[in-house]
Every structure is written in structure tokens, then in C-alpha cells.
């Protein structure tokens, strides 16, 4: 089944969820690694090109996910979950979505601060909207890095919670997303 | 001949025995601090510092009594590429958060004749202070059309990055940076 139902996630939703998970952790690792490369490293330019390209595509996928949830809804929380668990899960989901967008926007603001657009795999270019504030590339860079650590922390928490539900509570929380 | 004529004119104009005080015209942007460093050894990369202030004293009759001090806002580095600027400001290079200012204070000025001057002074950059020598030339001086009086110079000097504790990360062709300096002072 491709569509979400009140009791389970559709295939499309699952696919996009795991795709985003891989992209988020991949971009985090790539971001840390590429900024540590020496000037003469073969990946000194390729790393950031890849990071920016995947980042832009991730933003598009996130918008698609929001649209899909808007159109076909989400499954209801499991009946066995307490109100507190449901609230906490909603809060973490909200924060994760918010952080992904904030990181994407701050990344965009680094690369486009001088009017240059972002080239996505020699495929299309996201134009720059110009500079919005002073020292934009530096401020956006700091924000981008800090929020990335926060996101990865939250995503780990989100994953540990799913594993806890699977192993300790023995409920369908994790299985629903597989 | 030209020099004596100019000196006489300056004497007539100033009438005081002290060197005149000038403010570098950064407000009107008739001054710029540019840098040039080889890229891979294949071409030159140019950049500049957009914000700085400077003061100097100068008397065409006694150029050796001249003094100059300039303070540069290192965060204003601009190489026309935001991502590169961000990298150059980071602790890989200038570490502008820790060292937001670079200063130059002259210690001696030698008159080499023909409007050429050798300006020696202390440059503090990236937290390190070192004596540098700027080869300067006076381009011109005189009344401006708006009731003021100006004098302008240009100068060049070469800095070794490691002299200022800046790591060499750009390869063997890029260990030195050339500064290309232009200032115009408005007499106070």
C-alpha cells in the first residue's frame, strides 16, 4: 500500500522517512569531514558540491513529505501509548522537522551570501536571493553547524525511543515504519 | 626641481612648522587595503579589507617626521566569494573572531627622494606583531575642489604567512601575501 491509512504508514511515507534519515546522517558526516580536508585534497571541492546538492534535494523531499502528510494524513498513535508519550513524540517530530528546515535555510544563506546560486549536480541552480544581513556567511555558518548537532542528537533520541518501544514495550511503533 | 617647487608651495600653504595631521579618507572610500596571493601558483587571487581607519601626519618638507597608524577590521575581508571569505576568517587562517583587528603603527620613515618613502612599522596581525617595511610613493597633494586639502600615497609590502602564525594551508606557491595599499588623507 502506497498511501498512509489511519492504522499504518504507506510505502511512500516509509521510503521517504528512511531516505531522509540516510540523507541527514550522511550530510552530517560529510559536512564534518569535508570541512577538515586540506586544500589539495581531491575531495576539497567535490565534498561541498555534493553536500550542497544533496542538501537542496533533501529540502525538496521534506516539502514533499509535508505535502503528503497534509494530503493523506498520518496514522493515529498506538492505543498503548500514554498521553505523555504521544505529546513527547509529537514535540520531537516537530523539532526534527523544524531543525531540518532551519539547517537547510542556514546552509542556503552561507552559499548564496554573495549572490551566487547553488548548483545541484550540474542539473539545476537554486538562485541566490542576495544578502539579508551583515556577515551572513559567518553567522549562517555557525547556526548551520550548531543546529546540525542538535538535529543529530534529536534524531538519535528519536531512534532510541523507537528501539525502546520495540524491545521493552514490545509494541508496533518501530515495525510500523519498516 | 619639482620637489622644491612643491615644498615651497606646501610651505606657503601651511605656514606652520608642525607636520599636518591627516585622516585617511575611508568615509569617501579613497583608500583601500588589498591583498594578493598566488592560487596554486597558476594565478593571483585578489581580495581586500573593506573597513579600516587610519591617521597620519605628513609634511612634504620633513617626510621623515611622518607617522601613520592604521587599524583594520579583519572581519571585513572580502575576496568576492562568501564561502571563501568565511573560510579565510575562520581559525584555519585569520581567526577574526579571536583577532578582529590588525594594526599598523609606523616606527620610522625614510625619504628615498622622488616622492619615494620607506615606511617601517609594526604590524599586528593574527595576534603576532612584526616589523614590516612598506615601499611607498607619494602620488600627489593639494587642494581638493570642496575646500579641503589632501595628500595620497600608495605602497606595497610582502608578508610571510608563518611570520604571523598563519598556517600554510595553500601549498608551496602560496606562502606569502602581497599587500597593495592606497591611502588618501584629508588634512584636519
Amino acid at each position: 500500500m502506497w498511501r498512509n491509512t489511519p492504522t499504518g504508514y504507506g510505502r511512500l511515507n516509509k521510503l521517504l522517512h528512511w531516505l531522509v534519515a540516510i540523507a541527514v546522517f550522511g550530510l552530517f558526516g560529510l559536512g564534518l569531514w569535508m570541512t577538515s580536508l586540506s586544500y589539495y585534497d581531491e575531495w576539497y571541492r567535490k565534498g561541498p558540491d555534493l553536500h550542497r546538492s544533496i542538501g537542496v534535494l533533501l529540502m525538496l523531499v521534506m516539502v514533499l513529505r509535508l505535502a503528503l502528510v497534509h494530503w493523506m494524513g498520518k496514522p493515529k498513535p498506538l492505543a498503548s501509548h500514554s498521553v505523555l508519550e504521544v505529546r513527547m513524540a509529537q514535540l520531537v517530530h516537530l523539532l526534527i522537522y523544524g531543525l531540518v528546515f532551519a539547517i537547510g535555510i542556514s546552509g542556503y544563506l552561507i552559499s548564496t551570501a554573495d549572490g551566487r546560486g547553488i548548483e545541484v549536480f550540474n542539473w539545476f541552480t537554486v538562485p541566490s536571493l542576495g544578502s539579508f544581513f551583515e556577515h551572513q556567511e559567518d553567522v549562517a555558518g555557525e547556526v548551520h553547524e550548531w543546529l546540525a548537532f542538535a538535529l543529530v542528537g534529536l534524531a538519535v533520541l528519536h531512534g532510541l525511543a523507537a528501539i525502546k518501544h520495540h524491545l521493552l514495550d514490545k509494541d508496533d511503533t518501530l515495525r510500523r515504519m519498516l | 626641481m619639482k620637489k622644491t617647487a612643491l615644498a615651497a608651495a606646501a610651505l606657503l600653504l601651511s605656514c606652520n612648522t608642525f607636520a599636518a595631521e591627516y585622516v585617511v579618507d575611508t568615509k569617501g572610500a579613497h583608500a583601500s587595503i588589498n591583498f594578493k596571493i598566488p592560487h596554486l601558483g597558476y594565478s593571483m587571487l585578489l581580495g581586500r579589507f573593506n573597513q579600516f581607519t587610519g591617521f597620519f601626519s605628513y609634511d612634504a618638507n620633513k617626510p621623515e617626521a611622518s607617522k601613520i597608524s592604521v587599524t583594520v577590521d579583519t572581519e571585513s575581508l572580502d575576496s568576492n566569494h562568501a564561502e571563501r571569505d568565511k573560510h579565510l576568517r575562520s581559525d584555519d587562517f585569520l581567526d577574526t573572531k579571536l583577532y578582529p583587528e590588525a594594526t599598523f603603527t609606523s616606527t620610522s620613515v625614510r625619504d628615498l627622494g622622488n616622492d619615494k618613502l620607506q615606511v617601517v612599522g609594526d604590524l599586528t596581525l593574527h595576534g603576532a606583531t612584526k616589523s614590516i617595511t612598506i615601499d611607498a610613493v607619494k602620488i600627489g597633494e593639494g587642494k581638493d575642489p570642496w575646500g579641503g586639502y589632501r595628500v595620497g600615497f600608495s605602497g606595497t609590502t610582502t608578508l610571510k604567512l608563518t611570520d604571523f602564525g598563519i598556517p600554510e594551508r595553500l601549498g608551496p606557491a602560496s606562502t606569502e601575501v602581497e599587500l597593495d595599499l592606497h591611502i588618501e588623507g584629508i588634512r584636519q
Side-chain angles (χ1 to χ4, degrees), chain B residues 19-46:
Chain B
E21 298 294 323
Y22 291 84
V23 171
V24 175
D25 187 18
T26 44
K27 207 172 154 191
H30 294 110
S32 62
I33 297 178
N34 310 304
F35 61 85
K36 190 159 103 174
I37 188 163
H39 179 234
L40 305 171
Y42 303 153
S43 74
M44 300 305 270
L45 172 92
L46 274 74

PDB file of all heavy atoms in Angstrom, chain B residues 19-46:
ATOM      1  N   ALA B  19      54.126  69.146  11.300  1.00  0.00           N
ATOM      2  CA  ALA B  19      53.539  68.354  10.221  1.00  0.00           C
ATOM      3  C   ALA B  19      52.023  68.352  10.374  1.00  0.00           C
ATOM      4  O   ALA B  19      51.504  68.310  11.487  1.00  0.00           O
ATOM      5  CB  ALA B  19      54.064  66.922  10.296  1.00  0.00           C
ATOM      6  N   ALA B  20      51.340  68.430   9.237  1.00  0.00           N
ATOM      7  CA  ALA B  20      49.886  68.453   9.281  1.00  0.00           C
ATOM      8  C   ALA B  20      49.340  67.070   9.611  1.00  0.00           C
ATOM      9  O   ALA B  20      49.948  66.053   9.276  1.00  0.00           O
ATOM     10  CB  ALA B  20      49.346  68.921   7.937  1.00  0.00           C
ATOM     11  N   GLU B  21      48.196  67.093  10.272  1.00  0.00           N
ATOM     12  CA  GLU B  21      47.548  65.828  10.624  1.00  0.00           C
ATOM     13  C   GLU B  21      46.501  65.491   9.564  1.00  0.00           C
ATOM     14  O   GLU B  21      45.746  66.361   9.121  1.00  0.00           O
ATOM     15  CB  GLU B  21      46.851  65.961  11.988  1.00  0.00           C
ATOM     16  CG  GLU B  21      47.793  66.270  13.140  1.00  0.00           C
ATOM     17  CD  GLU B  21      48.759  65.133  13.432  1.00  0.00           C
ATOM     18  OE1 GLU B  21      48.337  63.973  13.312  1.00  0.00           O
ATOM     19  OE2 GLU B  21      49.930  65.412  13.752  1.00  0.00           O
ATOM     20  N   TYR B  22      46.481  64.233   9.181  1.00  0.00           N
ATOM     21  CA  TYR B  22      45.525  63.797   8.155  1.00  0.00           C
ATOM     22  C   TYR B  22      44.711  62.612   8.658  1.00  0.00           C
ATOM     23  O   TYR B  22      45.196  61.798   9.428  1.00  0.00           O
ATOM     24  CB  TYR B  22      46.259  63.346   6.893  1.00  0.00           C
ATOM     25  CG  TYR B  22      46.934  64.463   6.125  1.00  0.00           C
ATOM     26  CD1 TYR B  22      48.201  64.912   6.490  1.00  0.00           C
ATOM     27  CD2 TYR B  22      46.298  65.034   5.033  1.00  0.00           C
ATOM     28  CE1 TYR B  22      48.818  65.929   5.776  1.00  0.00           C
ATOM     29  CE2 TYR B  22      46.901  66.049   4.313  1.00  0.00           C
ATOM     30  CZ  TYR B  22      48.170  66.491   4.688  1.00  0.00           C
ATOM     31  OH  TYR B  22      48.766  67.484   3.971  1.00  0.00           O
ATOM     32  N   VAL B  23      43.470  62.555   8.182  1.00  0.00           N
ATOM     33  CA  VAL B  23      42.642  61.378   8.432  1.00  0.00           C
ATOM     34  C   VAL B  23      42.489  60.659   7.099  1.00  0.00           C
ATOM     35  O   VAL B  23      42.201  61.295   6.075  1.00  0.00           O
ATOM     36  CB  VAL B  23      41.246  61.776   8.972  1.00  0.00           C
ATOM     37  CG1 VAL B  23      40.320  60.556   9.005  1.00  0.00           C
ATOM     38  CG2 VAL B  23      41.372  62.365  10.361  1.00  0.00           C
ATOM     39  N   VAL B  24      42.736  59.364   7.115  1.00  0.00           N
ATOM     40  CA  VAL B  24      42.593  58.592   5.874  1.00  0.00           C
ATOM     41  C   VAL B  24      41.121  58.620   5.458  1.00  0.00           C
ATOM     42  O   VAL B  24      40.227  58.370   6.270  1.00  0.00           O
ATOM     43  CB  VAL B  24      43.080  57.136   6.079  1.00  0.00           C
ATOM     44  CG1 VAL B  24      42.821  56.315   4.821  1.00  0.00           C
ATOM     45  CG2 VAL B  24      44.559  57.115   6.436  1.00  0.00           C
ATOM     46  N   ASP B  25      40.887  58.944   4.206  1.00  0.00           N
ATOM     47  CA  ASP B  25      39.511  59.110   3.730  1.00  0.00           C
ATOM     48  C   ASP B  25      38.829  57.772   3.460  1.00  0.00           C
ATOM     49  O   ASP B  25      38.573  57.401   2.308  1.00  0.00           O
ATOM     50  CB  ASP B  25      39.498  59.982   2.474  1.00  0.00           C
ATOM     51  CG  ASP B  25      38.068  60.329   2.056  1.00  0.00           C
ATOM     52  OD1 ASP B  25      37.158  60.188   2.906  1.00  0.00           O
ATOM     53  OD2 ASP B  25      37.865  60.721   0.899  1.00  0.00           O
ATOM     54  N   THR B  26      38.530  57.062   4.554  1.00  0.00           N
ATOM     55  CA  THR B  26      37.800  55.804   4.387  1.00  0.00           C
ATOM     56  C   THR B  26      36.310  56.108   4.205  1.00  0.00           C
ATOM     57  O   THR B  26      35.583  55.327   3.605  1.00  0.00           O
ATOM     58  CB  THR B  26      37.981  54.881   5.608  1.00  0.00           C
ATOM     59  OG1 THR B  26      37.843  55.634   6.799  1.00  0.00           O
ATOM     60  CG2 THR B  26      39.360  54.255   5.587  1.00  0.00           C
ATOM     61  N   LYS B  27      35.883  57.261   4.736  1.00  0.00           N
ATOM     62  CA  LYS B  27      34.476  57.632   4.619  1.00  0.00           C
ATOM     63  C   LYS B  27      34.090  57.767   3.141  1.00  0.00           C
ATOM     64  O   LYS B  27      33.056  57.275   2.714  1.00  0.00           O
ATOM     65  CB  LYS B  27      34.257  58.952   5.358  1.00  0.00           C
ATOM     66  CG  LYS B  27      32.857  59.130   5.878  1.00  0.00           C
ATOM     67  CD  LYS B  27      32.795  60.352   6.763  1.00  0.00           C
ATOM     68  CE  LYS B  27      31.390  60.919   6.768  1.00  0.00           C
ATOM     69  NZ  LYS B  27      31.357  62.243   7.399  1.00  0.00           N
ATOM     70  N   GLY B  28      34.936  58.450   2.395  1.00  0.00           N
ATOM     71  CA  GLY B  28      34.685  58.618   0.966  1.00  0.00           C
ATOM     72  C   GLY B  28      35.280  57.495   0.149  1.00  0.00           C
ATOM     73  O   GLY B  28      35.233  57.520  -1.076  1.00  0.00           O
ATOM     74  N   ALA B  29      35.850  56.504   0.854  1.00  0.00           N
ATOM     75  CA  ALA B  29      36.473  55.341   0.194  1.00  0.00           C
ATOM     76  C   ALA B  29      37.523  55.737  -0.830  1.00  0.00           C
ATOM     77  O   ALA B  29      37.542  55.227  -1.953  1.00  0.00           O
ATOM     78  CB  ALA B  29      35.410  54.429  -0.411  1.00  0.00           C
ATOM     79  N   HIS B  30      38.380  56.695  -0.436  1.00  0.00           N
ATOM     80  CA  HIS B  30      39.537  56.984  -1.275  1.00  0.00           C
ATOM     81  C   HIS B  30      40.768  56.349  -0.640  1.00  0.00           C
ATOM     82  O   HIS B  30      41.800  56.993  -0.439  1.00  0.00           O
ATOM     83  CB  HIS B  30      39.711  58.497  -1.450  1.00  0.00           C
ATOM     84  CG  HIS B  30      38.586  59.094  -2.218  1.00  0.00           C
ATOM     85  ND1 HIS B  30      37.642  59.930  -1.653  1.00  0.00           N
ATOM     86  CD2 HIS B  30      38.221  58.936  -3.512  1.00  0.00           C
ATOM     87  CE1 HIS B  30      36.756  60.262  -2.566  1.00  0.00           C
ATOM     88  NE2 HIS B  30      37.078  59.684  -3.711  1.00  0.00           N
ATOM     89  N   ALA B  31      40.592  55.115  -0.278  1.00  0.00           N
ATOM     90  CA  ALA B  31      41.672  54.351   0.341  1.00  0.00           C
ATOM     91  C   ALA B  31      41.292  52.887   0.229  1.00  0.00           C
ATOM     92  O   ALA B  31      40.109  52.551   0.308  1.00  0.00           O
ATOM     93  CB  ALA B  31      41.803  54.736   1.814  1.00  0.00           C
ATOM     94  N   SER B  32      42.264  52.038   0.012  1.00  0.00           N
ATOM     95  CA  SER B  32      41.931  50.615   0.013  1.00  0.00           C
ATOM     96  C   SER B  32      43.128  49.767   0.406  1.00  0.00           C
ATOM     97  O   SER B  32      44.280  50.115   0.147  1.00  0.00           O
ATOM     98  CB  SER B  32      41.356  50.166  -1.340  1.00  0.00           C
ATOM     99  OG  SER B  32      42.282  50.344  -2.360  1.00  0.00           O
ATOM    100  N   ILE B  33      42.808  48.685   1.085  1.00  0.00           N
ATOM    101  CA  ILE B  33      43.820  47.733   1.537  1.00  0.00           C
ATOM    102  C   ILE B  33      43.550  46.434   0.813  1.00  0.00           C
ATOM    103  O   ILE B  33      42.572  45.739   1.080  1.00  0.00           O
ATOM    104  CB  ILE B  33      43.747  47.544   3.071  1.00  0.00           C
ATOM    105  CG1 ILE B  33      44.066  48.872   3.757  1.00  0.00           C
ATOM    106  CG2 ILE B  33      44.698  46.434   3.515  1.00  0.00           C
ATOM    107  CD1 ILE B  33      43.967  48.817   5.261  1.00  0.00           C
ATOM    108  N   ASN B  34      44.395  46.143  -0.145  1.00  0.00           N
ATOM    109  CA  ASN B  34      44.180  44.962  -0.981  1.00  0.00           C
ATOM    110  C   ASN B  34      45.249  43.922  -0.713  1.00  0.00           C
ATOM    111  O   ASN B  34      46.376  44.268  -0.356  1.00  0.00           O
ATOM    112  CB  ASN B  34      44.248  45.349  -2.455  1.00  0.00           C
ATOM    113  CG  ASN B  34      43.365  46.533  -2.767  1.00  0.00           C
ATOM    114  OD1 ASN B  34      42.169  46.502  -2.495  1.00  0.00           O
ATOM    115  ND2 ASN B  34      43.961  47.583  -3.301  1.00  0.00           N
ATOM    116  N   PHE B  35      44.881  42.669  -0.897  1.00  0.00           N
ATOM    117  CA  PHE B  35      45.891  41.629  -0.780  1.00  0.00           C
ATOM    118  C   PHE B  35      45.876  40.745  -2.023  1.00  0.00           C
ATOM    119  O   PHE B  35      44.892  40.672  -2.757  1.00  0.00           O
ATOM    120  CB  PHE B  35      45.722  40.802   0.492  1.00  0.00           C
ATOM    121  CG  PHE B  35      44.418  40.066   0.601  1.00  0.00           C
ATOM    122  CD1 PHE B  35      44.255  38.818   0.023  1.00  0.00           C
ATOM    123  CD2 PHE B  35      43.362  40.618   1.297  1.00  0.00           C
ATOM    124  CE1 PHE B  35      43.055  38.126   0.130  1.00  0.00           C
ATOM    125  CE2 PHE B  35      42.149  39.942   1.403  1.00  0.00           C
ATOM    126  CZ  PHE B  35      41.998  38.700   0.819  1.00  0.00           C
ATOM    127  N   LYS B  36      46.998  40.102  -2.232  1.00  0.00           N
ATOM    128  CA  LYS B  36      47.178  39.313  -3.451  1.00  0.00           C
ATOM    129  C   LYS B  36      47.999  38.100  -3.067  1.00  0.00           C
ATOM    130  O   LYS B  36      49.051  38.232  -2.439  1.00  0.00           O
ATOM    131  CB  LYS B  36      47.942  40.185  -4.437  1.00  0.00           C
ATOM    132  CG  LYS B  36      48.029  39.677  -5.833  1.00  0.00           C
ATOM    133  CD  LYS B  36      48.336  40.826  -6.774  1.00  0.00           C
ATOM    134  CE  LYS B  36      49.778  40.829  -7.195  1.00  0.00           C
ATOM    135  NZ  LYS B  36      50.090  41.835  -8.216  1.00  0.00           N
ATOM    136  N   ILE B  37      47.505  36.927  -3.392  1.00  0.00           N
ATOM    137  CA  ILE B  37      48.242  35.707  -3.055  1.00  0.00           C
ATOM    138  C   ILE B  37      48.110  34.734  -4.225  1.00  0.00           C
ATOM    139  O   ILE B  37      47.051  34.642  -4.839  1.00  0.00           O
ATOM    140  CB  ILE B  37      47.723  35.102  -1.715  1.00  0.00           C
ATOM    141  CG1 ILE B  37      48.609  33.939  -1.253  1.00  0.00           C
ATOM    142  CG2 ILE B  37      46.266  34.672  -1.810  1.00  0.00           C
ATOM    143  CD1 ILE B  37      48.414  33.566   0.211  1.00  0.00           C
ATOM    144  N   PRO B  38      49.185  34.041  -4.562  1.00  0.00           N
ATOM    145  CA  PRO B  38      49.086  33.112  -5.691  1.00  0.00           C
ATOM    146  C   PRO B  38      48.108  31.973  -5.400  1.00  0.00           C
ATOM    147  O   PRO B  38      48.057  31.458  -4.279  1.00  0.00           O
ATOM    148  CB  PRO B  38      50.513  32.560  -5.833  1.00  0.00           C
ATOM    149  CG  PRO B  38      51.381  33.531  -5.133  1.00  0.00           C
ATOM    150  CD  PRO B  38      50.561  34.096  -4.019  1.00  0.00           C
ATOM    151  N   HIS B  39      47.322  31.612  -6.386  1.00  0.00           N
ATOM    152  CA  HIS B  39      46.429  30.468  -6.270  1.00  0.00           C
ATOM    153  C   HIS B  39      47.069  29.296  -7.002  1.00  0.00           C
ATOM    154  O   HIS B  39      47.177  29.313  -8.230  1.00  0.00           O
ATOM    155  CB  HIS B  39      45.057  30.780  -6.878  1.00  0.00           C
ATOM    156  CG  HIS B  39      44.113  29.613  -6.802  1.00  0.00           C
ATOM    157  ND1 HIS B  39      43.469  29.099  -7.892  1.00  0.00           N
ATOM    158  CD2 HIS B  39      43.741  28.861  -5.740  1.00  0.00           C
ATOM    159  CE1 HIS B  39      42.731  28.066  -7.518  1.00  0.00           C
ATOM    160  NE2 HIS B  39      42.873  27.904  -6.219  1.00  0.00           N
ATOM    161  N   LEU B  40      47.522  28.312  -6.232  1.00  0.00           N
ATOM    162  CA  LEU B  40      48.162  27.106  -6.760  1.00  0.00           C
ATOM    163  C   LEU B  40      49.454  27.407  -7.515  1.00  0.00           C
ATOM    164  O   LEU B  40      50.087  26.495  -8.048  1.00  0.00           O
ATOM    165  CB  LEU B  40      47.195  26.352  -7.709  1.00  0.00           C
ATOM    166  CG  LEU B  40      45.821  25.977  -7.159  1.00  0.00           C
ATOM    167  CD1 LEU B  40      44.953  25.448  -8.298  1.00  0.00           C
ATOM    168  CD2 LEU B  40      45.930  24.917  -6.073  1.00  0.00           C
ATOM    169  N   GLY B  41      49.812  28.681  -7.598  1.00  0.00           N
ATOM    170  CA  GLY B  41      50.966  29.049  -8.411  1.00  0.00           C
ATOM    171  C   GLY B  41      50.577  29.303  -9.863  1.00  0.00           C
ATOM    172  O   GLY B  41      51.437  29.521 -10.709  1.00  0.00           O
ATOM    173  N   TYR B  42      49.278  29.290 -10.132  1.00  0.00           N
ATOM    174  CA  TYR B  42      48.831  29.441 -11.520  1.00  0.00           C
ATOM    175  C   TYR B  42      48.258  30.827 -11.809  1.00  0.00           C
ATOM    176  O   TYR B  42      48.191  31.240 -12.965  1.00  0.00           O
ATOM    177  CB  TYR B  42      47.753  28.404 -11.850  1.00  0.00           C
ATOM    178  CG  TYR B  42      48.190  26.971 -11.639  1.00  0.00           C
ATOM    179  CD1 TYR B  42      47.270  25.981 -11.347  1.00  0.00           C
ATOM    180  CD2 TYR B  42      49.538  26.613 -11.746  1.00  0.00           C
ATOM    181  CE1 TYR B  42      47.667  24.670 -11.153  1.00  0.00           C
ATOM    182  CE2 TYR B  42      49.936  25.314 -11.549  1.00  0.00           C
ATOM    183  CZ  TYR B  42      49.002  24.335 -11.242  1.00  0.00           C
ATOM    184  OH  TYR B  42      49.391  23.055 -11.048  1.00  0.00           O
ATOM    185  N   SER B  43      47.756  31.488 -10.765  1.00  0.00           N
ATOM    186  CA  SER B  43      47.186  32.814 -10.979  1.00  0.00           C
ATOM    187  C   SER B  43      47.228  33.559  -9.661  1.00  0.00           C
ATOM    188  O   SER B  43      47.652  33.007  -8.648  1.00  0.00           O
ATOM    189  CB  SER B  43      45.740  32.714 -11.472  1.00  0.00           C
ATOM    190  OG  SER B  43      44.902  32.331 -10.399  1.00  0.00           O
ATOM    191  N   MET B  44      46.808  34.810  -9.665  1.00  0.00           N
ATOM    192  CA  MET B  44      46.786  35.581  -8.427  1.00  0.00           C
ATOM    193  C   MET B  44      45.352  35.737  -7.955  1.00  0.00           C
ATOM    194  O   MET B  44      44.461  36.050  -8.739  1.00  0.00           O
ATOM    195  CB  MET B  44      47.403  36.969  -8.657  1.00  0.00           C
ATOM    196  CG  MET B  44      48.844  36.929  -9.125  1.00  0.00           C
ATOM    197  SD  MET B  44      49.908  35.989  -8.027  1.00  0.00           S
ATOM    198  CE  MET B  44      50.432  37.254  -6.911  1.00  0.00           C
ATOM    199  N   LEU B  45      45.177  35.542  -6.654  1.00  0.00           N
ATOM    200  CA  LEU B  45      43.872  35.780  -6.054  1.00  0.00           C
ATOM    201  C   LEU B  45      43.922  37.146  -5.369  1.00  0.00           C
ATOM    202  O   LEU B  45      44.836  37.426  -4.597  1.00  0.00           O
ATOM    203  CB  LEU B  45      43.543  34.721  -5.010  1.00  0.00           C
ATOM    204  CG  LEU B  45      42.266  35.099  -4.259  1.00  0.00           C
ATOM    205  CD1 LEU B  45      41.072  34.478  -4.924  1.00  0.00           C
ATOM    206  CD2 LEU B  45      42.344  34.771  -2.802  1.00  0.00           C
ATOM    207  N   LEU B  46      42.933  37.987  -5.651  1.00  0.00           N
ATOM    208  CA  LEU B  46      42.898  39.315  -5.052  1.00  0.00           C
ATOM    209  C   LEU B  46      41.749  39.451  -4.061  1.00  0.00           C
ATOM    210  O   LEU B  46      40.658  38.910  -4.289  1.00  0.00           O
ATOM    211  CB  LEU B  46      42.750  40.386  -6.136  1.00  0.00           C
ATOM    212  CG  LEU B  46      44.057  40.851  -6.768  1.00  0.00           C
ATOM    213  CD1 LEU B  46      44.600  39.792  -7.713  1.00  0.00           C
ATOM    214  CD2 LEU B  46      43.866  42.157  -7.498  1.00  0.00           C
TER     215      LEU B  46
END
